[in-house]
Amino acid sequence: QTEDKGLGPPPLNISPLQFSPLSQDENNPTSVVNLPWWMDKDGDQKGEEQIGGHYTGPINELLQPHGRGELLVKGARCQTFHGAWKNGKLVTPLTDLSTDVLSGP
């Protein structure tokens, strides 16, 4: 019998999280849902946020938006806009099917 020396409970044996590998198949890329994303006035993520929200769509190996996706824009009454990204940068204007262009290069 071991004596309790006030060290607390024994550590839990928890295995690390397992992540699925990213798809390298261009016809079936890895996609995400609700990835936080934003851009500054220059289209980068360096300055002050100009537009942002949550991205849903394909990503690259650096977990950046990459391909045609949707952006649920903050402050836009939960409107979803569509656009295309390349390596985390928006490369087309964001559009809403019911309105004109919102923003973009």
Side-chain angles (χ1 to χ4, degrees), residues 6-79:
L7 300 177
L12 296 175
N13 186 11
I14 300 174
S15 62
L17 294 175
Q18 297 289 322
F19 292 100
S20 299
L22 292 172
S23 172
Q24 300 299 319
D25 181 359
E26 289 184 19
N27 296 322
N28 190 20
T30 301
S31 291
V32 294
V33 175
N34 290 331
L35 175 73
W37 181 88
W38 64 276
M39 71 177 189
D40 61 21
K41 64 181 174 66
D42 297 321
D44 295 315
Q45 291 184 324
K46 297 176 183 173
E48 186 176 331
E49 179 179 323
Q50 179 178 345
I51 187 170
H54 289 90
Y55 170 83
T56 297
I59 56 173
N60 64 16
E61 62 277 355
L62 298 176
L63 306 178
Q64 299 168 325
H66 191 74
R68 296 201 62 74
E70 299 179 345
L71 185 68
L72 179 62
V73 177
K74 291 190 284 189
R77 297 186 191 150
C78 297
Q79 279 186 294

